[in-house]
């Protein structure tokens, strides 16, 4: 049988996920994996260095599929940060649900320690960049070091929130995972309510006004 020549990164990810679900374990070797799927072993190494690299890329692919779908929406482009993040969550978890068997197989045994799971590292990298580009409104301290700490804290908090939602989804047994939808809406809205800087800015502005008036009176 003639070997397949045009093997993409997406093909290998798909082959790998299918193999794991059908055999309930990872392929033993790259050679055996390539032979099973009728392509040259070298084609695998054109895209990945190991099966662990494939596993990491699976979750990054879920992220990129989500972003691609969102960017096609005119409505999404006009959303504020809160609604963009809500849209991201709902779309991302649609991707996870479409591949639930694989995700549960991969993460199910680690659901209480997802933060330490190395195969989610690449997902964290792209997700935290996404959070940064949302330009979520924070209090401007006008001190570079403090602003940097604020931004880093925001990214870490957002990442933990995503992991917490993934754990909730893994355990969710409700019809259509409707409880996860409620969890997403409440957790994201609560986060933005806590971050709402408008009242704090009003207090700061009022304090500046009082200080200024008192200083002028003296």
């Amino acid at each position: 049988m003639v070997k397949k020549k045009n093997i993409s990164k997406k093909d290998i990810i798909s082959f790998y996920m299918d193999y794991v679900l059908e055999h309930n374990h990872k392929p033993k070797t790259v050679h055996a994996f390539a032979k099973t799927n009728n392509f040259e072993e070298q084609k695998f190494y054109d895209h990945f260095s190991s099966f662990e690299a494939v596993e990491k890329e699976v979750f990054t692919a879920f992220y990129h599929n989500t972003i691609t779908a969102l960017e096609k929406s005119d409505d999404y482009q006009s959303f504020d940060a809160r609604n963009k993040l809500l849209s991201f969550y709902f779309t991302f978890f649609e991707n996870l649900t479409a591949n639930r068997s694989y995700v549960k197989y991969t993460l199910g045994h680690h659901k209480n320690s997802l933060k330490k799971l190395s195969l989610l590292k690449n997902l964290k990298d792209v997700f935290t960049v996404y959070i940064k580009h949302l330009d979520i409104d924070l209090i401007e301290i006008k001190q570079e070091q403090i602003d940097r700490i604020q931004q880093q804290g925001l990214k870490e908090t957002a990442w933990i929130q995503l992991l917490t939602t993934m754990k909730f989804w893994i355990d969710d047994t409700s019809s259509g995972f409707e409880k996860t939808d409620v969890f997403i809406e409440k957790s994201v809205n609560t986060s933005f309510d806590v971050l709402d800087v408008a009242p704090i800015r009003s207090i700061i502005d009022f304090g500046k006004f009082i200080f200024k008036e008192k200083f002028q009176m003296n």
Side-chain angles (χ1 to χ4, degrees), residues 92-151:
F92 181 73
F93 279 89
E94 284 178 5
N95 273 277
L96 293 191
T97 299
N99 298 277
R100 184 172 172 85
S101 295
Y102 176 83
V103 177
K104 284 199 70 175
Y105 173 85
T106 309
L107 301 183
H109 300 302
H110 307 282
K111 63 184 179 182
N112 293 320
S113 57
L114 294 180
K115 188 177 180 182
K116 300 177 182 179
L117 207 56
S118 62
L119 69 85
L120 295 179
K121 180 184 180 302
N122 292 359
L123 174 61
K124 179 182 180 180
D125 291 343
V126 292
F127 177 70
T128 52
V129 169
Y130 171 77
I131 291 296
K132 179 181 178 181
H133 289 162
L134 282 180
D135 291 327
I136 295 171
D137 205 10
L138 298 173
I139 298 174
E140 294 180 14
I141 306 298
K142 294 185 178 179
Q143 290 187 16
E144 185 178 347
Q145 185 175 3
I146 295 177
D147 287 341
R148 189 162 56 246
I149 291 171
Q150 274 199 118
Q151 287 293 338

Side-chain angles (χ1 to χ4, degrees), residues 70 76 149 168:
L70 292 174
Y76 175 79
I149 291 171
F168 186 93

Side-chain angles (χ1 to χ4, degrees), residues 6 26 30 39 53 59-60 67 76 83 98 102 117 121 147 150 159 162 175 183 193 206 210:
N6 298 318
K26 297 180 183 180
V30 173
F39 65 89
F59 288 91
T60 309
I67 295 300
Y76 175 79
N83 285 298
Y102 176 83
L117 207 56
K121 180 184 180 302
D147 287 341
Q150 274 199 118
W159 173 239
L162 180 62
S175 176
F183 185 92
D193 288 343
F206 181 62
I210 294 297

Side-chain angles (χ1 to χ4, degrees), residues 89 119 165 186:
Y89 262 90
L119 69 85
T165 310
K186 288 185 178 298

Side-chain angles (χ1 to χ4, degrees), residues 47-210:
H47 302 289
F48 298 103
S49 60
S50 64
F51 290 131
E52 288 72 21
V54 179
E55 288 182 330
K56 289 180 181 180
E57 190 65 25
V58 169
F59 288 91
T60 309
F62 294 153
Y63 167 86
H64 288 302
N65 289 343
T66 298
I67 295 300
T68 298
L70 292 174
E71 289 180 345
K72 291 178 180 178
S73 167
D74 292 335
D75 290 337
Y76 175 79
Q77 303 302 331
S78 65
F79 286 162
D80 59 11
R82 180 194 299 249
N83 285 298
K84 280 186 175 179
L85 188 56
L86 279 169
S87 297
F88 173 89
Y89 262 90
F90 287 129
T91 308
F92 181 73
F93 279 89
E94 284 178 5
N95 273 277
L96 293 191
T97 299
N99 298 277
R100 184 172 172 85
S101 295
Y102 176 83
V103 177
K104 284 199 70 175
Y105 173 85
T106 309
L107 301 183
H109 300 302
H110 307 282
K111 63 184 179 182
N112 293 320
S113 57
L114 294 180
K115 188 177 180 182
K116 300 177 182 179
L117 207 56
S118 62
L119 69 85
L120 295 179
K121 180 184 180 302
N122 292 359
L123 174 61
K124 179 182 180 180
D125 291 343
V126 292
F127 177 70
T128 52
V129 169
Y130 171 77
I131 291 296
K132 179 181 178 181
H133 289 162
L134 282 180
D135 291 327
I136 295 171
D137 205 10
L138 298 173
I139 298 174
E140 294 180 14
I141 306 298
K142 294 185 178 179
Q143 290 187 16
E144 185 178 347
Q145 185 175 3
I146 295 177
D147 287 341
R148 189 162 56 246
I149 291 171
Q150 274 199 118
Q151 287 293 338
Q152 186 60 33
L154 174 64
K155 290 190 289 185
E156 288 297 323
T157 301
W159 173 239
I160 292 171
Q161 183 178 45
L162 180 62
L163 294 182
T164 302
T165 310
M166 289 172 71
K167 180 183 181 303
F168 186 93
W169 171 82
I170 289 171
D171 292 334
D172 190 2
T173 57
S174 63
S175 176
F177 306 105
E178 57 187 17
K179 288 185 179 179
T180 297
D181 289 344
V182 174
F183 185 92
I184 289 170
E185 188 169 359
K186 288 185 178 298
S187 64
V188 171
N189 281 328
T190 299
S191 297
F192 273 86
D193 288 343
V194 170
L195 286 170
D196 187 0
V197 299
I200 299 174
R201 281 181 175 155
S202 295
I203 293 170
I204 292 173
D205 288 342
F206 181 62
K208 288 179 178 178
F209 171 77
I210 294 297

